[in-house]
Amino acid sequence: MIRGILIGVLAVGVAGTAYWGYQEHQEKNAILLNAENNYQRAFHNLSYRTDILHDKIGTTLAMNSKDTLSPSLIEVWRLTSQAHGDVGQLPLTLLPFNKTEEFLANIGNFSYRTAVRDLGKEPLTDKEYDTLKVLYKQSGDIQNELRNVQHMVLKNNLRWMDVELALASGKETTDNTIIDGFKTVEKTVSGYEETDFGPTFTNMQKKDENFKKIKGKTISRQEATQIAKKYMKFDGNAQVKITENGKGSDYGFYSVSIKNKQTGQESSMDITKKAGHPIWFIKNREITKQNLSLNEADIKAAAFLQETGFKDLEVFESTQYDNIGVFNFVTNINGVRIYPEAVKVKVALDNGDIIGVSAEEYLTSFQTRTIDKPAITLEQARAKVNPNLKVMEDRQAMIMNDLNEEVLCYEFLGTINHDTYRIFINAKTGFEEKVEKLKNAEAIYEDVL
């Protein structure tokens, strides 16, 4: 009797385990199937958009009217943006594909840059038409390579999940049709010379200059440690780790980590090898209360920047998060704000310690500048602003526009209803370069329910 009951219980248990395993298997298969479908959709969208992109670039070569050329170039820009999104959805993070993505970015930059200008006053030059011809040929090469991959995927019913597994396990060197196909695409693009794109592209690389404008001697590891200690304000009783980075990049830097043996506090910092400038640093510690006002912390942040070699900076934005003050500083030259040269500083509001600095934007953009005089007056620029804006402040400022170029502007800070805006009017052309809506104070919801 008891034996029969036990056998029955075991049978039910085995059946339950089997059913649970079956359910787990089904759920796992459903997840894998969904991922595979997403990969397939992204890949075939990429192939399709590359086809359309090639044709669209070809049609622009036959156009002569600005009324049709501008919309066509905007469509090229839209297609390259979508193709970027498709590439981002494929499991290629471990596979070098940066040259192809860079090529798509160059097409997008060229088309956007050309489309937004007044082609009636500045029609396409012969060099720009030559650039379009080069892009048309090269997009055709990529189109053919992607079609070959697509043909093999459909013919052999290949799975993208196998690609993801191969890349994750480091087995991409084995025979895998999809991986081999994308390597061929990347190799094809890598064969294009940068000069093929022509002089039109020279101003598009400013964000990638990697501190090339920094001047000064190369510092040693010991000097980097001393600079880090100055920032972190640690005494001699500290454990220091320093490593050199920058292999394969256009600049070198030291990564310094310091731990205070007495307090256990840790700080980390990256320092450029050339001239020893801080790229960023952060000090980790708990901040439980506020003893300083935001204004007092602002004064401490400004003094710290002055002590550490940053000159001609002024704060233009301050925010408080819990017991931390965050301050954005920019260069000010004779009353003109240079927004690309920005440094962010974090201050602990319990004792005024500097617990964070980010100076990458400053180091990328810093240079000796000659600021031209505006071609239009302040009153003429103000007339270009939305008449509903109640202007509270105005000044001159240098900003990066949508074409990644530095332009001198008149800056107007004002309100419309209950919202605050910052509007930049080009001081040469009167063009409205940028409109920014500033953040309002966050609502508090704790007592709503």
Side-chain angles (χ1 to χ4, degrees), residues 401-448:
N401 66 9
D402 290 339
L403 300 179
N404 201 29
E405 297 172 328
E406 288 190 358
V407 289
L408 179 65
C409 294
Y410 286 105
E411 174 189 350
F412 297 94
L413 182 70
T415 59
I416 298 178
N417 296 325
H418 300 294
D419 294 318
T420 305
Y421 296 87
R422 184 181 284 125
I423 298 176
F424 297 93
I425 303 297
N426 191 305
K428 180 180 179 181
T429 65
F431 178 74
E432 188 177 68
E433 291 286 354
K434 186 177 294 187
V435 176
E436 297 177 352
K437 180 180 178 296
L438 304 187
K439 291 182 180 180
N440 295 324
E442 293 289 340
I444 299 173
Y445 300 98
E446 289 181 359
D447 300 324
V448 172

Side-chain angles (χ1 to χ4, degrees), residues 20 30 35 93-94 119 127 129 157-158 173 178 181 247-248 260 271 286 296 306 317 329 383 440:
W20 175 80
T93 53
L94 302 177
L119 292 174
K127 289 182 177 180
Y129 270 111
N157 195 26
L158 301 176
T173 53
I178 296 178
K247 289 184 178 180
N260 190 316
I271 305 169
E286 188 177 3
E296 290 172 321
Q306 185 74 23
E317 188 177 52
F329 289 81
N440 295 324

Side-chain angles (χ1 to χ4, degrees), residues 105-376:
N106 282 336
I107 296 178
N109 284 335
F110 174 82
S111 57
Y112 180 82
R113 182 187 181 87
T114 308
V116 297
R117 81 177 191 230
D118 189 344
L119 292 174
K121 296 179 180 178
E122 296 181 72
L124 287 181
T125 65
D126 291 340
K127 289 182 177 180
E128 287 173 326
Y129 270 111
D130 290 340
T131 299
L132 272 176
K133 291 176 184 177
V134 170
L135 296 177
Y136 179 64
K137 177 185 179 302
Q138 294 175 346
S139 63
D141 294 340
I142 295 177
Q143 176 192 36
N144 290 332
E145 295 297 345
L146 284 175
R147 279 184 173 182
N148 287 333
V149 179
Q150 187 178 41
H151 170 71
M152 296 303 296
V153 168
L154 295 173
K155 178 182 177 182
N156 299 317
N157 195 26
L158 301 176
R159 298 194 320 156
W160 277 91
M161 290 304 299
D162 294 335
V163 175
E164 186 172 39
L165 292 172
L167 291 172
S169 61
K171 296 180 179 179
E172 68 272 17
T173 53
T174 60
D175 184 22
N176 186 297
T177 303
I178 296 178
I179 293 177
D180 292 343
F182 271 84
K183 284 183 176 179
T184 302
V185 174
E186 182 74 354
K187 185 177 180 181
T188 300
V189 180
S190 298
Y192 303 151
E193 291 293 333
E194 226 175 280
T195 51
D196 287 345
F197 294 109
T200 309
F201 284 71
T202 54
N203 287 330
M204 298 180 186
Q205 309 303 325
K206 288 185 178 179
K207 287 186 178 179
D208 299 323
E209 288 182 333
N210 291 329
F211 316 150
K212 290 180 181 177
K213 296 186 179 76
I214 294 177
K215 301 189 183 301
K217 69 179 185 69
T218 300
I219 64 171
S220 65
R221 293 167 67 99
Q222 185 177 2
E223 288 172 318
T225 301
Q226 294 305 315
I227 293 171
K229 286 185 175 181
K230 180 180 178 181
Y231 267 78
M232 302 171 188
K233 295 187 177 179
F234 280 164
D235 55 23
N237 188 23
Q239 179 182 347
V240 180
K241 293 181 180 178
I242 182 167
T243 56
E244 294 186 41
N245 294 305
K247 289 184 178 180
S249 66
D250 293 332
Y251 65 97
F253 60 93
Y254 294 105
S255 289
V256 185
S257 176
I258 298 180
K259 182 176 182 179
N260 190 316
K261 293 181 179 179
Q262 290 181 338
T263 64
Q265 290 180 12
E266 294 185 19
S267 295
S268 300
M269 184 175 186
D270 278 359
I271 305 169
T272 61
K273 287 184 178 179
K274 189 190 291 184
H277 293 296
I279 302 171
W280 62 266
F281 104 84
I282 187 168
K283 181 187 289 187
N284 297 309
R285 72 174 180 84
E286 188 177 3
I287 304 164
T288 57
K289 60 181 179 179
Q290 178 178 349
N291 297 321
L292 301 176
S293 68
L294 206 58
N295 183 61
E296 290 172 321
D298 174 8
I299 295 172
K300 288 185 176 292
F304 177 81
L305 290 175
Q306 185 74 23
E307 291 169 7
T308 49
F310 291 95
K311 298 179 180 179
D312 302 320
L313 294 178
E314 70 167 340
V315 68
F316 80 94
E317 188 177 52
S318 60
T319 313
Q320 182 172 342
Y321 299 97
D322 293 328
N323 297 315
I324 297 173
V326 180
F327 304 91
N328 285 323
F329 289 81
V330 293
T331 299
N332 186 314
I333 301 176
N334 298 325
V336 180
R337 283 184 178 175
I338 313 298
Y339 280 105
E341 295 182 11
V343 181
K344 183 175 290 186
V345 182
K346 295 173 70 175
V347 181
L349 298 180
D350 57 355
N351 63 3
D353 267 359
I354 307 299
I355 58 173
V357 171
S358 176
E360 186 170 354
E361 291 182 51
Y362 181 92
L363 296 175
T364 302
S365 304
F366 179 78
Q367 58 184 293
T368 302
R369 300 173 184 276
T370 301
I371 301 176
D372 296 330
K373 291 184 178 180
I376 63 174

